[in-house]
mmCIF file with all atom_site columns, all heavy atoms in Angstrom:
data_model
loop_
_atom_site.group_PDB
_atom_site.id
_atom_site.type_symbol
_atom_site.label_atom_id
_atom_site.label_alt_id
_atom_site.label_comp_id
_atom_site.label_asym_id
_atom_site.label_entity_id
_atom_site.label_seq_id
_atom_site.pdbx_PDB_ins_code
_atom_site.Cartn_x
_atom_site.Cartn_y
_atom_site.Cartn_z
_atom_site.occupancy
_atom_site.B_iso_or_equiv
_atom_site.pdbx_formal_charge
_atom_site.auth_seq_id
_atom_site.auth_comp_id
_atom_site.auth_asym_id
_atom_site.auth_atom_id
_atom_site.pdbx_PDB_model_num
ATOM 1   N N   . PHE B 1 54 ? 0.154   -48.434 -33.064 1.00 0.00 ? 65 PHE B N   1
ATOM 2   C CA  . PHE B 1 54 ? 1.531   -48.358 -33.634 1.00 0.00 ? 65 PHE B CA  1
ATOM 3   C C   . PHE B 1 54 ? 1.569   -48.421 -35.136 1.00 0.00 ? 65 PHE B C   1
ATOM 4   O O   . PHE B 1 54 ? 2.598   -48.137 -35.715 1.00 0.00 ? 65 PHE B O   1
ATOM 5   C CB  . PHE B 1 54 ? 2.378   -49.425 -32.970 1.00 0.00 ? 65 PHE B CB  1
ATOM 6   C CG  . PHE B 1 54 ? 2.708   -49.169 -31.554 1.00 0.00 ? 65 PHE B CG  1
ATOM 7   C CD1 . PHE B 1 54 ? 3.268   -50.176 -30.811 1.00 0.00 ? 65 PHE B CD1 1
ATOM 8   C CD2 . PHE B 1 54 ? 2.529   -47.981 -30.977 1.00 0.00 ? 65 PHE B CD2 1
ATOM 9   C CE1 . PHE B 1 54 ? 3.579   -50.031 -29.437 1.00 0.00 ? 65 PHE B CE1 1
ATOM 10  C CE2 . PHE B 1 54 ? 2.843   -47.727 -29.595 1.00 0.00 ? 65 PHE B CE2 1
ATOM 11  C CZ  . PHE B 1 54 ? 3.378   -48.780 -28.866 1.00 0.00 ? 65 PHE B CZ  1
ATOM 12  N N   . ASP B 1 55 ? 0.584   -48.973 -35.703 1.00 0.00 ? 66 ASP B N   1
ATOM 13  C CA  . ASP B 1 55 ? 0.568   -49.280 -37.129 1.00 0.00 ? 66 ASP B CA  1
ATOM 14  C C   . ASP B 1 55 ? -0.257  -48.286 -37.904 1.00 0.00 ? 66 ASP B C   1
ATOM 15  O O   . ASP B 1 55 ? -1.511  -48.443 -37.889 1.00 0.00 ? 66 ASP B O   1
ATOM 16  C CB  . ASP B 1 55 ? 0.082   -50.701 -37.318 1.00 0.00 ? 66 ASP B CB  1
ATOM 17  C CG  . ASP B 1 55 ? 0.122   -51.059 -38.764 1.00 0.00 ? 66 ASP B CG  1
ATOM 18  O OD1 . ASP B 1 55 ? 0.616   -50.286 -39.613 1.00 0.00 ? 66 ASP B OD1 1
ATOM 19  O OD2 . ASP B 1 55 ? -0.197  -52.316 -39.101 1.00 0.00 ? 66 ASP B OD2 1
ATOM 20  N N   . GLU B 1 56 ? 0.318   -47.312 -38.553 1.00 0.00 ? 67 GLU B N   1
ATOM 21  C CA  . GLU B 1 56 ? -0.467  -46.300 -39.210 1.00 0.00 ? 67 GLU B CA  1
ATOM 22  C C   . GLU B 1 56 ? -0.584  -46.651 -40.733 1.00 0.00 ? 67 GLU B C   1
ATOM 23  O O   . GLU B 1 56 ? -1.043  -45.787 -41.537 1.00 0.00 ? 67 GLU B O   1
ATOM 24  C CB  . GLU B 1 56 ? 0.203   -44.893 -39.089 1.00 0.00 ? 67 GLU B CB  1
ATOM 25  C CG  . GLU B 1 56 ? -0.005  -44.343 -37.611 1.00 0.00 ? 67 GLU B CG  1
ATOM 26  C CD  . GLU B 1 56 ? 0.289   -42.876 -37.473 1.00 0.00 ? 67 GLU B CD  1
ATOM 27  O OE1 . GLU B 1 56 ? -0.387  -42.110 -38.170 1.00 0.00 ? 67 GLU B OE1 1
ATOM 28  O OE2 . GLU B 1 56 ? 1.335   -42.570 -36.835 1.00 0.00 ? 67 GLU B OE2 1
ATOM 29  N N   . GLN B 1 57 ? -0.226  -47.805 -41.154 1.00 0.00 ? 68 GLN B N   1
ATOM 30  C CA  . GLN B 1 57 ? -0.424  -48.125 -42.526 1.00 0.00 ? 68 GLN B CA  1
ATOM 31  C C   . GLN B 1 57 ? -1.903  -48.289 -42.843 1.00 0.00 ? 68 GLN B C   1
ATOM 32  O O   . GLN B 1 57 ? -2.572  -48.764 -42.050 1.00 0.00 ? 68 GLN B O   1
ATOM 33  C CB  . GLN B 1 57 ? 0.299   -49.518 -42.784 1.00 0.00 ? 68 GLN B CB  1
ATOM 34  C CG  . GLN B 1 57 ? 1.756   -49.453 -43.218 1.00 0.00 ? 68 GLN B CG  1
ATOM 35  C CD  . GLN B 1 57 ? 2.209   -50.765 -43.780 1.00 0.00 ? 68 GLN B CD  1
ATOM 36  O OE1 . GLN B 1 57 ? 1.832   -51.856 -43.274 1.00 0.00 ? 68 GLN B OE1 1
ATOM 37  N NE2 . GLN B 1 57 ? 3.094   -50.725 -44.742 1.00 0.00 ? 68 GLN B NE2 1
ATOM 38  N N   . ASN B 1 58 ? -2.217  -47.828 -44.030 1.00 0.00 ? 69 ASN B N   1
ATOM 39  C CA  . ASN B 1 58 ? -3.541  -48.025 -44.458 1.00 0.00 ? 69 ASN B CA  1
ATOM 40  C C   . ASN B 1 58 ? -3.814  -49.513 -44.811 1.00 0.00 ? 69 ASN B C   1
ATOM 41  O O   . ASN B 1 58 ? -2.901  -50.204 -45.196 1.00 0.00 ? 69 ASN B O   1
ATOM 42  C CB  . ASN B 1 58 ? -3.840  -47.151 -45.660 1.00 0.00 ? 69 ASN B CB  1
ATOM 43  C CG  . ASN B 1 58 ? -3.944  -45.703 -45.312 1.00 0.00 ? 69 ASN B CG  1
ATOM 44  O OD1 . ASN B 1 58 ? -4.233  -45.318 -44.164 1.00 0.00 ? 69 ASN B OD1 1
ATOM 45  N ND2 . ASN B 1 58 ? -3.698  -44.844 -46.333 1.00 0.00 ? 69 ASN B ND2 1
ATOM 46  N N   . GLU B 1 59 ? -5.067  -49.936 -44.555 1.00 0.00 ? 70 GLU B N   1
ATOM 47  C CA  . GLU B 1 59 ? -5.411  -51.303 -44.753 1.00 0.00 ? 70 GLU B CA  1
ATOM 48  C C   . GLU B 1 59 ? -6.455  -51.387 -45.929 1.00 0.00 ? 70 GLU B C   1
ATOM 49  O O   . GLU B 1 59 ? -7.333  -50.563 -45.978 1.00 0.00 ? 70 GLU B O   1
ATOM 50  C CB  . GLU B 1 59 ? -6.028  -51.899 -43.491 1.00 0.00 ? 70 GLU B CB  1
ATOM 51  C CG  . GLU B 1 59 ? -6.495  -53.296 -43.556 1.00 0.00 ? 70 GLU B CG  1
ATOM 52  C CD  . GLU B 1 59 ? -5.469  -54.365 -43.171 1.00 0.00 ? 70 GLU B CD  1
ATOM 53  O OE1 . GLU B 1 59 ? -4.391  -53.831 -42.647 1.00 0.00 ? 70 GLU B OE1 1
ATOM 54  O OE2 . GLU B 1 59 ? -5.668  -55.437 -43.332 1.00 0.00 ? 70 GLU B OE2 1
ATOM 55  N N   . ILE B 1 60 ? -6.297  -52.372 -46.772 1.00 0.00 ? 71 ILE B N   1
ATOM 56  C CA  . ILE B 1 60 ? -7.264  -52.578 -47.860 1.00 0.00 ? 71 ILE B CA  1
ATOM 57  C C   . ILE B 1 60 ? -7.649  -54.045 -47.823 1.00 0.00 ? 71 ILE B C   1
ATOM 58  O O   . ILE B 1 60 ? -6.796  -54.989 -47.760 1.00 0.00 ? 71 ILE B O   1
ATOM 59  C CB  . ILE B 1 60 ? -6.609  -52.246 -49.224 1.00 0.00 ? 71 ILE B CB  1
ATOM 60  C CG1 . ILE B 1 60 ? -6.252  -50.766 -49.282 1.00 0.00 ? 71 ILE B CG1 1
ATOM 61  C CG2 . ILE B 1 60 ? -7.560  -52.587 -50.281 1.00 0.00 ? 71 ILE B CG2 1
ATOM 62  C CD1 . ILE B 1 60 ? -5.498  -50.382 -50.553 1.00 0.00 ? 71 ILE B CD1 1
ATOM 63  N N   . SER B 1 61 ? -8.990  -54.222 -47.915 1.00 0.00 ? 72 SER B N   1
ATOM 64  C CA  . SER B 1 61 ? -9.448  -55.655 -48.008 1.00 0.00 ? 72 SER B CA  1
ATOM 65  C C   . SER B 1 61 ? -10.648 -55.614 -48.979 1.00 0.00 ? 72 SER B C   1
ATOM 66  O O   . SER B 1 61 ? -11.764 -55.192 -48.796 1.00 0.00 ? 72 SER B O   1
ATOM 67  C CB  . SER B 1 61 ? -10.012 -56.037 -46.634 1.00 0.00 ? 72 SER B CB  1
ATOM 68  O OG  . SER B 1 61 ? -10.619 -57.362 -46.776 1.00 0.00 ? 72 SER B OG  1
ATOM 69  N N   . GLY B 1 62 ? -10.247 -55.970 -50.246 1.00 0.00 ? 73 GLY B N   1
ATOM 70  C CA  . GLY B 1 62 ? -11.262 -55.963 -51.297 1.00 0.00 ? 73 GLY B CA  1
ATOM 71  C C   . GLY B 1 62 ? -11.806 -54.552 -51.616 1.00 0.00 ? 73 GLY B C   1
ATOM 72  O O   . GLY B 1 62 ? -10.992 -53.694 -51.871 1.00 0.00 ? 73 GLY B O   1
ATOM 73  N N   . ARG B 1 63 ? -13.079 -54.339 -51.503 1.00 0.00 ? 74 ARG B N   1
ATOM 74  C CA  . ARG B 1 63 ? -13.641 -52.925 -51.674 1.00 0.00 ? 74 ARG B CA  1
ATOM 75  C C   . ARG B 1 63 ? -13.511 -52.019 -50.480 1.00 0.00 ? 74 ARG B C   1
ATOM 76  O O   . ARG B 1 63 ? -13.868 -50.870 -50.550 1.00 0.00 ? 74 ARG B O   1
ATOM 77  C CB  . ARG B 1 63 ? -15.044 -53.121 -52.128 1.00 0.00 ? 74 ARG B CB  1
ATOM 78  C CG  . ARG B 1 63 ? -15.291 -53.822 -53.440 1.00 0.00 ? 74 ARG B CG  1
ATOM 79  C CD  . ARG B 1 63 ? -16.743 -53.867 -53.883 1.00 0.00 ? 74 ARG B CD  1
ATOM 80  N NE  . ARG B 1 63 ? -17.568 -54.588 -52.950 1.00 0.00 ? 74 ARG B NE  1
ATOM 81  C CZ  . ARG B 1 63 ? -18.434 -53.986 -52.062 1.00 0.00 ? 74 ARG B CZ  1
ATOM 82  N NH1 . ARG B 1 63 ? -18.523 -52.704 -52.012 1.00 0.00 ? 74 ARG B NH1 1
ATOM 83  N NH2 . ARG B 1 63 ? -19.126 -54.741 -51.255 1.00 0.00 ? 74 ARG B NH2 1
ATOM 84  N N   . TYR B 1 64 ? -13.045 -52.609 -49.384 1.00 0.00 ? 75 TYR B N   1
ATOM 85  C CA  . TYR B 1 64 ? -12.969 -51.893 -48.144 1.00 0.00 ? 75 TYR B CA  1
ATOM 86  C C   . TYR B 1 64 ? -11.554 -51.378 -47.881 1.00 0.00 ? 75 TYR B C   1
ATOM 87  O O   . TYR B 1 64 ? -10.534 -52.128 -48.162 1.00 0.00 ? 75 TYR B O   1
ATOM 88  C CB  . TYR B 1 64 ? -13.358 -52.758 -46.880 1.00 0.00 ? 75 TYR B CB  1
ATOM 89  C CG  . TYR B 1 64 ? -14.763 -53.278 -46.813 1.00 0.00 ? 75 TYR B CG  1
ATOM 90  C CD1 . TYR B 1 64 ? -15.140 -54.213 -45.871 1.00 0.00 ? 75 TYR B CD1 1
ATOM 91  C CD2 . TYR B 1 64 ? -15.744 -52.833 -47.716 1.00 0.00 ? 75 TYR B CD2 1
ATOM 92  C CE1 . TYR B 1 64 ? -16.415 -54.691 -45.841 1.00 0.00 ? 75 TYR B CE1 1
ATOM 93  C CE2 . TYR B 1 64 ? -17.030 -53.258 -47.576 1.00 0.00 ? 75 TYR B CE2 1
ATOM 94  C CZ  . TYR B 1 64 ? -17.369 -54.217 -46.641 1.00 0.00 ? 75 TYR B CZ  1
ATOM 95  O OH  . TYR B 1 64 ? -18.663 -54.707 -46.569 1.00 0.00 ? 75 TYR B OH  1
ATOM 96  N N   . SER B 1 65 ? -11.438 -50.097 -47.406 1.00 0.00 ? 76 SER B N   1
ATOM 97  C CA  . SER B 1 65 ? -10.142 -49.624 -47.059 1.00 0.00 ? 76 SER B CA  1
ATOM 98  C C   . SER B 1 65 ? -10.269 -48.752 -45.745 1.00 0.00 ? 76 SER B C   1
ATOM 99  O O   . SER B 1 65 ? -11.413 -48.203 -45.541 1.00 0.00 ? 76 SER B O   1
ATOM 100 C CB  . SER B 1 65 ? -9.473  -48.884 -48.131 1.00 0.00 ? 76 SER B CB  1
ATOM 101 O OG  . SER B 1 65 ? -10.223 -47.749 -48.555 1.00 0.00 ? 76 SER B OG  1
ATOM 102 N N   . TRP B 1 66 ? -9.245  -48.684 -45.008 1.00 0.00 ? 77 TRP B N   1
ATOM 103 C CA  . TRP B 1 66 ? -9.256  -47.921 -43.750 1.00 0.00 ? 77 TRP B CA  1
ATOM 104 C C   . TRP B 1 66 ? -8.098  -47.000 -43.758 1.00 0.00 ? 77 TRP B C   1
ATOM 105 O O   . TRP B 1 66 ? -6.925  -47.374 -44.097 1.00 0.00 ? 77 TRP B O   1
ATOM 106 C CB  . TRP B 1 66 ? -9.223  -48.880 -42.561 1.00 0.00 ? 77 TRP B CB  1
ATOM 107 C CG  . TRP B 1 66 ? -10.437 -49.640 -42.397 1.00 0.00 ? 77 TRP B CG  1
ATOM 108 C CD1 . TRP B 1 66 ? -11.553 -49.309 -41.675 1.00 0.00 ? 77 TRP B CD1 1
ATOM 109 C CD2 . TRP B 1 66 ? -10.705 -50.976 -42.975 1.00 0.00 ? 77 TRP B CD2 1
ATOM 110 N NE1 . TRP B 1 66 ? -12.473 -50.304 -41.754 1.00 0.00 ? 77 TRP B NE1 1
ATOM 111 C CE2 . TRP B 1 66 ? -12.039 -51.286 -42.509 1.00 0.00 ? 77 TRP B CE2 1
ATOM 112 C CE3 . TRP B 1 66 ? -10.001 -51.811 -43.819 1.00 0.00 ? 77 TRP B CE3 1
ATOM 113 C CZ2 . TRP B 1 66 ? -12.625 -52.467 -42.917 1.00 0.00 ? 77 TRP B CZ2 1
ATOM 114 C CZ3 . TRP B 1 66 ? -10.656 -52.997 -44.205 1.00 0.00 ? 77 TRP B CZ3 1
ATOM 115 C CH2 . TRP B 1 66 ? -11.909 -53.327 -43.762 1.00 0.00 ? 77 TRP B CH2 1
#
Side-chain angles (χ1 to χ4, degrees):
Chain B
F65 286 168
D66 182 2
E67 290 194 65
Q68 271 193 323
N69 289 337
E70 178 92 11
I71 297 175
S72 176
R74 297 183 296 106
Y75 294 172
S76 62
W77 291 269

